[in-house]
Amino acid sequence: MRGWIVAGLAVAVWPVGAGAIVLDRVRIRSSDDVTVELSTSGPVVPWVRRLAATADTPHRIYVDLTDTVVGPAVRKVLVSASPGLVRVRTGQFTPTTARIVLDTSAELPYDVTATTRHVTIVLHPAAPLPSQASPPLATTPPSPVPVARGRPSDAPDPARTDTAAPPPATGAPTEPPLVVVDAGHGGHDPGAEGVDGVQEKTVVLQIAHRLAAKLPARLPVDSLLTRSDDSFVPLAERLPQPVRAPFVFLSLHANACEQPEPRGIEIFFGGEHGSRTAIDAKRLARLITTELRARLLRVRGRPRHGPFRVLTASDAPSVLIEVGYLTHPQDATCLQDAKYQELFTDALVEGVAAFLQSSGDATVRAGQLLVPSGNGPRTIPARPTSGSSEGPLFASSPNLKVAR
């Protein structure tokens, strides 16, 4: 099976299937701006993301077209003579997703529009992003404040991000959407226990820290951790009700089984059957599943409606991710590995990005939508509950309140 390279990973190339939208042509046009035009056999919704340059890779903008296959006439690589654009690479990222990668010489602003038969990506090489004209912000978000009073944090350092975070684009909202990252269990409640005594509460906290650090560094969102150390947070205090929208709640857990054979990721979504919340949550769960399958190939079945109170008690699109089986030797090893956690959290960030984009208009202003906000993850400040000397509560802020 032939492969091609996207973001440093070998990705298989699948044959064109019948009945799907076909990407017929990719071409480059140049004037004052640089335009990459994608021609398709029918309407598609593009999901667009940005990746910063590394020591081994250039700046990249990539466009995913779901339910789309690459036609046989499409050239896999187009070398560009246009300013700012180095080349365009095209390939079949998954059996149902075509991916187009724009390698650029700098981090350029861009716009994306979609019509019935065309997707157009316009680069603006004459207008570099603000991050190129001013010193970059720190690439490592600040360490979160511990939730529980008087307890030292055993949380890992936040994951380093690949991109320096520029300020929001002109006209961006002053209050970005809030994504709450919930690390299940904690404190006296260890959750599942697996191979060599690995505990659910420890693994999901490590993943939660990485995810909460990446979200505001790569997307125009704020992130909030329900716990940042080995503390027990009651269920009612994990469910904030922010005034602003959209809002996403991601709860991280791990599985265990008496038999060592079961393994893999499982995804559940919340909301009452037929409600707008359930419809949005199911869409979010499917998008996250697509990204996890593309990177890790370990998702068990389709997303299912979950009866868990942490999902059903929230009015926001809520997804519970069982990150794997701690009782399966390979799952347990992977879930404690930093590189695997990086891939896992990358997929979750991309799923949230796709959800934000798919919630917008048919014309995707991706050049503005996916500019990182530069805000670090926030945590719930420690504060004693009424009549108790300890116990975390959500901050008394106009945007948050405790769900009872």
Side-chain angles (χ1 to χ4, degrees), residues 37 54 57 103 116 136 139 171 213 229 254 272 278 307 315 326 341-342 355:
E37 186 178 88
T54 68
T57 60
D103 293 336
T116 304
T139 57
D229 63 1
E272 295 184 5
D315 292 332
L326 297 179
Q341 291 182 3
E342 286 291 293
F355 178 74

Side-chain angles (χ1 to χ4, degrees), residues 8-372:
L9 298 177
V11 181
V13 178
W14 285 270
V16 174
I21 300 296
V22 177
L23 175 61
D24 295 315
R25 184 175 63 175
V26 177
R27 66 173 180 170
I28 302 170
R29 294 188 287 108
S30 182
S31 56
D32 292 337
D33 294 323
V34 180
T35 300
V36 177
E37 186 178 88
L38 316 177
S39 299
T40 60
S41 63
V44 295
V45 177
W47 296 343
V48 187
R49 291 90 156 179
R50 183 197 302 278
L51 289 173
T54 68
D56 302 316
T57 60
H59 292 278
R60 286 151 290 162
I61 298 166
Y62 65 97
V63 183
D64 281 354
L65 307 178
T66 57
D67 299 322
T68 304
V69 293
V70 179
V74 174
R75 294 175 58 185
K76 297 300 183 279
V77 179
L78 292 175
V79 178
S80 170
S82 303
L85 180 62
V86 178
R87 61 182 172 266
V88 178
R89 294 176 286 138
T90 304
Q92 197 71 41
F93 185 59
T94 73
T96 58
T97 301
R99 172 165 288 187
I100 302 90
V101 182
L102 284 64
D103 293 336
T104 62
S105 59
E107 191 175 14
L108 303 178
Y110 61 93
D111 294 317
V112 179
T113 57
T115 61
T116 304
R117 298 284 299 273
H118 294 90
V119 175
T120 304
I121 308 104
V122 180
L123 305 177
H124 306 290
L129 291 176
S131 59
Q132 296 176 304
S134 58
L137 301 179
T139 57
T140 305
S143 298
V145 179
V147 172
R149 185 184 298 276
R151 299 181 187 175
S153 173
D154 62 356
D157 292 334
R160 291 188 66 86
T161 60
D162 293 334
T163 180
T170 303
T174 57
E175 292 186 325
L178 178 64
V179 179
V180 173
V181 179
D182 172 46
H185 306 276
H188 64 77
D189 177 13
E193 187 168 316
V195 177
D196 295 330
V198 59
Q199 293 183 326
E200 176 180 3
K201 67 174 184 178
T202 302
V203 168
V204 297
L205 181 62
Q206 293 172 352
I207 295 173
H209 267 271
R210 293 183 187 276
L211 178 59
K214 287 181 179 181
L215 282 163
R218 298 185 182 179
L219 304 177
V221 300
D222 283 339
S223 64
L224 182 146
L225 285 164
T226 59
R227 68 181 180 95
S228 64
D229 63 1
D230 187 15
S231 304
F232 177 75
V233 180
L235 179 61
E237 295 167 11
R238 296 176 185 259
L239 302 173
Q241 299 292 327
V243 174
R244 54 191 164 109
F247 162 70
V248 168
F249 185 90
L250 302 176
S251 190
L252 303 174
H253 291 261
N255 262 324
C257 184
E258 291 183 358
Q259 304 299 322
E261 290 82 10
R263 66 173 306 191
I265 304 160
E266 296 180 355
I267 307 220
F268 300 87
F269 59 90
E272 295 184 5
H273 283 291
S275 67
R276 169 49 59 183
T277 298
I279 293 170
D280 287 343
K282 185 176 183 179
R283 177 161 51 91
L284 172 62
R286 285 178 169 175
L287 294 171
I288 288 174
T289 298
T290 296
E291 298 294 343
L292 286 168
R293 279 208 173 107
R295 288 163 174 76
L296 304 177
L297 304 176
R298 291 177 181 168
V299 182
R300 293 165 57 96
R302 297 179 178 179
R304 290 170 283 166
H305 187 267
F308 314 111
R309 189 175 166 224
V310 74
L311 297 180
T312 59
S314 175
D315 292 332
S318 301
V319 172
L320 186 146
I321 301 128
E322 296 278 3
V323 298
Y325 278 77
L326 297 179
T327 44
H328 187 282
Q330 191 171 349
D331 268 15
T333 299
C334 287
L335 288 169
Q336 298 174 81
D337 179 76
K339 291 183 179 179
Y340 182 88
Q341 291 182 3
E342 286 291 293
L343 288 174
F344 195 100
T345 50
D346 282 346
L348 297 184
V349 171
E350 299 291 7
V352 172
F355 178 74
L356 290 175
Q357 285 195 307
S358 65
S359 301
D361 298 329
T363 299
V364 183
R365 299 287 296 181
Q368 295 179 1
L369 180 62
L370 295 182
V371 172

